[in-house]
């Protein structure tokens, strides 16, 4: 559902506009960080997250990310993860970096606050890909 929602012409047009406004550092980094992406992605995620049992909020996005990281070793899931991030404007290399970063959080048994803090610190700036600020 995320892939379909992020693939619509209107959403893709909005991503192109964000990329045009991006600074050189964001562009050179493969749009791993892209200002405005979090708010834009949340317009789609708010409609989808509740159908999977997650809150329709940035916190729900984080819960979904943490849940999905458990399955990133599956090639099909990893490809879908990358395809979604590609639709969010990331280059192939940025998608790979995000997946590798997110994989480090799977199965964490640390307290929730520590997990959230670590994920937010590590993935800050992806702004809507599959995380929150």
């Amino acid at each position: 559902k995320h892939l379909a929602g992020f693939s619509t012409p209107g959403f893709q047009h909005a991503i192109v506009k964000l990329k045009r406004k991006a600074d050189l550092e964001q562009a050179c980094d493969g749009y791993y960080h892209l200002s405005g992406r979090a708010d834009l992605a949340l317009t789609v995620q708010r409609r989808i997250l509740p159908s999977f049992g997650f809150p329709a909020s940035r916190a729900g996005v984080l819960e979904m990310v943490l849940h999905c990281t458990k399955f990133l070793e599956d090639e099909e899931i990893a490809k879908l993860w990358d395809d979604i991030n590609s639709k969010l404007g990331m280059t192939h290399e940025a998608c790979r970096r995000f997946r590798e970063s997110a994989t480090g959080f799977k199965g964490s048994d640390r307290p929730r606050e520590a997990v959230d803090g670590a994920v937010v610190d590590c993935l800050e700036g992806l702004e809507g890909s599959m995380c929150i600020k």
Side-chain angles (χ1 to χ4, degrees), residues 65-112:
V65 170
L66 291 174
H67 177 78
C68 290
T69 60
K70 299 172 193 172
F71 307 102
L72 285 175
E73 290 180 9
D74 181 296
E75 284 184 36
E76 197 172 321
I77 300 297
K79 181 180 179 337
L80 178 60
W81 180 280
D82 289 351
D83 289 348
I84 289 169
N85 286 316
S86 176
K87 292 295 183 181
L88 288 164
M90 286 188 203
T91 63
H92 176 73
E93 177 61 23
C95 290
R96 183 195 58 76
R97 283 178 46 217
F98 179 52
R99 181 175 19 86
E100 289 176 359
S101 177
T103 300
F105 296 102
K106 73 176 182 166
S108 176
D109 58 0
R110 292 175 288 173
R112 176 123 175 103

Side-chain angles (χ1 to χ4, degrees), residues 32-80:
Y32 186 84
H33 302 276
L34 182 60
S35 298
R37 180 168 42 205
D39 292 333
L40 178 61
L42 197 56
T43 64
V44 172
Q45 291 164 327
R46 279 193 175 120
R47 295 189 310 263
I48 296 169
L49 289 172
S51 65
F52 293 99
F54 300 106
S57 64
R58 290 185 186 271
V61 173
L62 180 57
E63 286 181 40
M64 177 196 61
V65 170
L66 291 174
H67 177 78
C68 290
T69 60
K70 299 172 193 172
F71 307 102
L72 285 175
E73 290 180 9
D74 181 296
E75 284 184 36
E76 197 172 321
I77 300 297
K79 181 180 179 337
L80 178 60

